[in-house]
Amino acid sequence: VETWSAGTKIEQGDWTFGASWLSSDNGLPDADYTAWSAGLMREAWDAEFSLEYGQAEDDNANIDSSGWRFGVAKDFSKNTKIGVAYLHDEVETLNNHWESDGIVVEITLSAEILNITGN
């Protein structure tokens, strides 16, 4: 299997931009798989707003896909964050084309389990 990937994240003020790319032969001759995504996030009004788009193509399986997401997340306490996102995905094969839309709600609860200090 031969795989190459790259990614970056750039932050400037309240803005963050990220992008990634992957290419693989999946261990098969002429079985090229490529995927990429890019996203933009901004912190404003005590929340995080993000938008992301990505595409993938698998030549061996004859599948093309793309999708985008828009989300908002907000800290409600030191240990609680709630996020809501709208998603849209499309998948295309030789014989079919599917589209799906959805809403995701994510609740993140975190706590410090172990705190070690020393000198």
Side-chain angles (χ1 to χ4, degrees), residues 14-35:
D14 293 340
W15 293 89
T16 301
F17 170 78
S20 64
W21 166 83
L22 181 134
S23 178
S24 177
D25 66 3
N26 286 338
L28 301 169
D30 300 322
D32 292 332
Y33 172 81
T34 57

Side-chain angles (χ1 to χ4, degrees), residues 28-48:
L28 301 169
D30 300 322
D32 292 332
Y33 172 81
T34 57
W36 67 270
S37 66
L40 189 62
M41 190 270 293
R42 178 166 188 228
E43 295 181 32
W45 303 291
D46 293 325
E48 299 170 350

Side-chain angles (χ1 to χ4, degrees), residues 65-76:
S65 64
S66 65
W68 60 266
R69 282 100 174 87
F70 172 73
V72 178
K74 181 173 178 54
D75 288 322
F76 282 89

